[in-house]
Amino acid sequence: MKNLLFLVSVGFFLLLGCQSDPHKITKEIPIITAPVKIAAPKKVMADAATILSKKEVPILCYHSIQNFSANASEMKKTYTVTPANFAEQMKALSDEGYQTILPNQLYEYLVHDAPLPAKPIMITFDDTREEQFSIGAAEMNKYGFKGVFFIMTVSINRPNYMTNNQIKNLSDSGNVIAAHTWDHHMVTKYTGDDWNTQLVKPKKKLEDITGKPVTYFAYPFGLWNKDAIPEIKKSGYQMAYILSTKRDSIDPLYTVRRIIVAGQWSTPSAIKAIKSSFNK
């Protein structure tokens, strides 16, 4: 019994010896926790009324950049600007303090109220004409301008029209390549497989050329109807451009206004038209 008490006593003192000094401060080991991920607030998309209430950005539409004779048809005169006048207009825009924007900037401004330059403008080209590359883009580059080229895919690589390489070059240089149907067949007449032929296939072809998504579309002749808008949305387009007619009250993003710069206008007339057409 005495041996048992002795062993218990020894064990008790040994146990006390293993304890830490009660006056000694033990350094705490920090607890490492995973960083808390805070989700970015979801952007609220503006409704149609809000989009329509915003100040419109001037958007210009060019077609041919060529010299033409005095006895040319009125249509040719309207849709054709001489190289000299185009050069003069680009300089005037720069001198006036305009800065070009692209469709993604316009979309963010309309939908999410993103800021724009003090004097924004968008320069667009329809129909794939070769001189839009060799004259138009070259002249714009002098002022750091970038544009939107609405491509009619049936015309690619044909005489007097842009090649695959030129379209790719425009895209790689910071311009936007967008769709303008396969063969300029007006949207208001589409039936059956026309939607696939005129909207889906051209989009895919341009994406194959540029290696980038194609999400913008321009109506041939600026003509549109309400039946077309759901098909354009379904085909993967984010915005669609008309000419100077009234925007749709329900889908303003699919009826973005532009004005044709007429060949009969002087440069002062063109600047005046820009200001008066988009003065809201």
Side-chain angles (χ1 to χ4, degrees):
M1 184 65 179
K2 288 182 180 179
N3 289 339
L4 178 61
L5 289 172
F6 175 77
L7 291 173
V8 170
S9 299
V10 171
F12 177 74
F13 284 111
L14 286 174
L15 180 62
L16 287 176
C18 292
Q19 301 304 305
S20 300
D21 184 346
H23 300 291
K24 184 178 180 181
I25 298 173
T26 304
K27 187 176 180 182
E28 292 185 359
I29 300 173
I31 299 173
I32 300 173
T33 59
V36 178
K37 292 183 179 179
I38 301 174
K42 189 175 181 180
K43 289 184 177 180
V44 178
M45 184 170 179
D47 58 22
T50 302
I51 291 171
L52 289 165
S53 71
K54 285 179 167 288
K55 181 176 174 61
E56 287 185 273
V57 172
I59 305 179
L60 311 184
C61 176
Y62 289 95
H63 289 80
S64 295
I65 307 173
Q66 300 176 337
N67 290 309
F68 55 88
S69 63
N71 60 358
S73 69
E74 284 304 306
M75 180 173 285
K76 185 172 181 65
K77 289 178 181 178
T78 298
Y79 284 86
T80 307
V81 172
T82 66
N85 279 353
F86 184 83
E88 193 175 76
Q89 288 165 14
M90 294 301 104
K91 183 179 185 304
L93 290 175
S94 179
D95 290 345
E96 288 267 340
Y98 284 102
Q99 293 177 262
T100 55
I101 67 165
L102 295 174
N104 65 311
Q105 293 169 275
L106 180 63
Y107 180 88
E108 288 300 317
Y109 162 68
L110 293 174
V111 174
H112 298 131
D113 204 29
L116 290 176
K119 293 187 74 171
I121 196 164
M122 189 183 296
I123 301 173
T124 73
F125 300 84
D126 286 5
D127 299 351
T128 331
R129 298 284 308 179
E130 192 281 335
E131 69 268 13
Q132 296 171 3
F133 173 85
S134 59
I135 298 174
E139 199 63 43
M140 290 165 63
N141 281 340
K142 294 178 182 179
Y143 308 99
F145 291 170
K146 300 299 178 184
V148 187
F149 294 80
F150 289 104
I151 305 296
M152 179 175 61
T153 52
V154 71
S155 61
I156 297 173
N157 294 322
R158 290 186 175 183
N160 302 319
Y161 290 93
M162 280 190 257
T163 64
N164 284 0
N165 287 339
Q166 288 172 326
I167 292 168
K168 180 74 162 58
N169 183 290
L170 287 171
S171 177
D172 290 347
S173 300
N175 300 282
V176 168
I177 299 301
H180 195 40
T181 75
W182 176 59
D183 66 352
H184 216 264
H185 186 54
M186 64 181 65
V187 166
T188 53
K189 295 181 180 288
Y190 291 178
T191 60
D193 198 50
D194 287 339
W195 301 107
N196 184 55
T197 300
Q198 302 290 351
L199 298 179
V200 178
K201 288 182 177 179
K203 183 179 190 297
K204 175 66 165 56
K205 183 176 180 67
L206 294 172
E207 288 174 342
D208 288 344
I209 292 171
T210 63
K212 299 175 184 177
V214 170
T215 54
Y216 310 109
F217 174 81
Y219 300 91
F221 311 103
L223 298 176
W224 63 281
N225 58 16
K226 289 182 179 294
D227 293 338
I229 293 176
E231 296 292 341
I232 293 170
K233 289 180 180 180
K234 188 168 67 178
S235 300
Y237 295 100
Q238 190 177 50
M239 297 175 78
Y241 292 73
I242 59 175
L243 290 174
S244 57
T245 54
K246 187 178 179 181
R247 292 177 291 172
D248 184 63
S249 61
I250 298 172
D251 282 301
L253 292 177
Y254 291 85
T255 50
V256 180
R257 288 181 64 248
R258 305 181 291 164
I259 59 169
I260 293 175
V261 181
Q264 300 97 324
W265 292 352
S266 65
T267 295
S269 296
I271 298 296
K272 183 178 179 180
I274 291 167
K275 293 176 178 178
S276 63
S277 297
F278 300 95
N279 65 351
K280 186 174 72 173

